[in-house]
Amino acid sequence: MLTAPARPLRLGSLEVATPVVLAPMAGVTNAAFRQLCAEQGAGLYVCEMITSRGIVEGDPISLRMLSFAEAETVRSVQLYGIDPVYIGKAVRILCDEYGVGHVDLNFGCPVPKITRKGGGAALPWKATLLGEILTEAVSAAKPYDVPVTMKTRKGIDDDHLTYLDAGRIAQDAGCAAIALHGRTAAQHYSGTADWDSIATLKQAVDIPVLGNGDIWEASDAIAMVEKTGVDGVVVGRGCLGRPWLFRDLAAAFAGDDAIALPTLGEVAGWMRRHVELLAADMGEERGCIEFRKHVAWYLKGFRAGGRMRHALATISSLADLDTLLADLDHDEPYPVGELGTPRGRQGSPKRVALPDGWLSSREVTRIDPAAEDATSGG
């Protein structure tokens, strides 16, 4: 554990008591899940990523994602875009009309349909365009005293690293912090995150740096801070089916290393609360359907059989859920073999799809608007 309690994370005028940020994950970090995590411990909980074009053009699906829970004292949104003008307009709308108190810009998505158009993790290669986007976002947010941060990866691949340039550009543009996922786009979510690159970035810039990658337990977060010197951590896949991780993180950053593992009965309680929050936000039937994807994550490593897992993954009402949860062995201890192991998608390394001639220059190139399709958080 840290020898002394961690300092709060400061992003401009915004102070986050526990230096932990929930990474946006498409289809996961909606208002219900964010509230569930926020109920466990302090931190900054970021809304699912939304495209700037969707906000500016009033796309109903995009605007529906701008839903916030009562527990969210700071409305935090991750924004994705490729056009400085649209980014600026979207930031103003978020701050002025939705009371957003923190905007994070995403440049970490490795999805081929996005990088093939020059978006996502491919965009930082165009250093001039990156600077224009960040500068416009910071300028748009400044009148509202809203901090702007950015998230990126190490680069396209090991031969085309961009994170140090991105850190310098973010600092010059006035960003409040930069978050680095210690993988290249070519790695996707495979292999091991390179914490050394995070440490290198921390030494290279004066703005706060957040570390992301392979934080599966609270002890991993503490280890990252001690190894890299980062100002905070970004947690993604590690919390899938484990909202109590934020309780453990809050305790760990407060200097308490007494982490209690939940029984299956306690996990069932979180499952029930999760569906309850989803139902309150989107209706009972839709909330149950939305929850189905989480079942495997919650039960990972437990002895619940295939029939039970299937039944839970097909629920359509809270009554059905309650009946099934009652049949679980509530005294079953947490499967310690799952501690410290990867969760969610992993995949394998693959060549990054890029526009023709993309790597020949670092200067501005017009990017296909199709690059602003829905993406993952990266």
Side-chain angles (χ1 to χ4, degrees):
M1 290 293 120
L2 290 171
T3 55
R7 293 177 297 175
L9 172 61
R10 297 187 182 278
L11 303 175
S13 61
L14 175 62
E15 181 178 296
V16 183
T18 301
V20 172
V21 179
L22 168 65
M25 290 177 281
V28 174
T29 54
N30 51 33
F33 186 76
R34 297 196 309 274
Q35 175 158 336
L36 182 64
C37 293
E39 289 174 352
Q40 313 309 312
L44 186 63
Y45 299 92
V46 188
C47 176
E48 289 178 273
M49 193 190 66
I50 305 174
T51 68
S52 61
R53 194 171 293 271
I55 292 173
V56 174
E57 296 178 353
D59 173 62
I61 296 177
S62 298
L63 298 182
R64 174 67 181 83
M65 292 168 67
L66 289 172
S67 173
F68 300 94
E70 291 183 7
E72 295 182 277
T73 55
V74 177
R75 295 184 170 190
S76 175
V77 172
Q78 188 178 78
L79 187 63
Y80 170 67
I82 57 174
D83 185 317
V85 174
Y86 269 87
I87 286 284
K89 289 180 179 179
V91 169
R92 291 184 186 91
I93 291 171
L94 289 173
C95 296
D96 188 53
E97 299 180 20
Y98 291 89
V100 168
H102 165 244
V103 175
D104 183 54
L105 298 180
N106 181 278
F107 301 99
C109 179
V111 174
K113 72 174 183 178
I114 303 304
T115 59
R116 185 178 293 113
K117 304 293 185 180
L123 193 145
W125 183 255
K126 301 301 182 183
T128 304
L129 177 58
L130 176 65
E132 291 176 352
I133 290 174
L134 295 177
T135 298
E136 185 62 33
V138 170
S139 176
K142 187 174 182 179
Y144 304 93
D145 194 27
V146 170
V148 173
T149 60
M150 73 167 286
K151 182 183 179 185
T152 190
R153 285 180 173 242
K154 288 173 57 180
I156 293 173
D157 53 36
D158 287 338
D159 295 324
H160 302 90
L161 300 178
T162 55
Y163 70 100
L164 291 177
D165 287 338
R168 173 185 55 78
I169 293 168
Q171 180 170 291
D172 291 346
C175 288
I178 178 172
L180 177 61
H181 183 163
R183 288 180 171 87
T184 62
Q187 286 180 273
H188 281 239
Y189 298 90
S190 67
T192 302
D194 176 15
W195 288 7
D196 287 339
S197 66
I198 297 172
T200 299
L201 178 61
K202 174 60 183 173
Q203 291 297 315
V205 298
D206 297 324
I207 59 175
V209 173
L210 306 177
N212 177 221
D214 295 356
I215 297 178
W216 311 114
E217 309 296 338
S219 57
D220 295 325
I222 301 304
M224 176 184 280
V225 171
E226 292 180 334
K227 179 173 182 177
T228 67
V230 288
D231 302 275
V233 298
V234 179
V235 178
R237 294 173 294 155
C239 70
L240 294 175
R242 302 173 72 221
W244 63 87
L245 178 59
F246 291 94
R247 175 201 64 188
D248 295 350
L249 286 161
F253 277 111
D256 182 1
D257 60 359
I259 303 301
L261 296 177
T263 62
L264 181 53
E266 292 173 301
V267 172
W270 276 302
M271 294 172 75
R272 178 58 165 79
R273 177 60 175 158
H274 193 167
V275 179
E276 180 182 300
L277 290 168
L278 285 167
D281 184 50
M282 57 185 68
E284 184 172 344
E285 183 176 4
R286 185 181 166 201
C288 288
I289 293 172
E290 181 66 25
F291 176 74
R292 294 172 181 176
K293 73 182 75 168
H294 295 267
V295 170
W297 294 324
Y298 274 110
L299 297 181
K300 191 171 186 285
F302 283 107
R303 293 195 302 267
R307 182 175 298 178
M308 171 63 75
R309 292 169 187 268
H310 174 75
L312 283 167
T314 56
I315 60 166
S316 56
S317 70
L318 283 166
D320 291 343
L321 176 68
D322 289 338
T323 298
L324 292 167
L325 293 181
D327 286 339
L328 292 173
D329 178 2
H330 286 209
D331 294 325
E332 183 180 345
Y334 192 82
V336 294
E338 294 297 328
L339 297 177
T341 61
R343 304 177 73 82
R345 56 190 168 185
Q346 296 174 57
S348 57
K350 58 192 71 176
R351 184 175 177 275
V352 182
L354 297 168
D356 290 341
W358 187 254
L359 298 176
S360 63
S361 170
R362 300 292 305 272
E363 294 305 307
V364 173
T365 298
R366 183 182 181 278
I367 297 181
D368 188 333
E372 202 167 316
D373 289 341
T375 67
S376 67

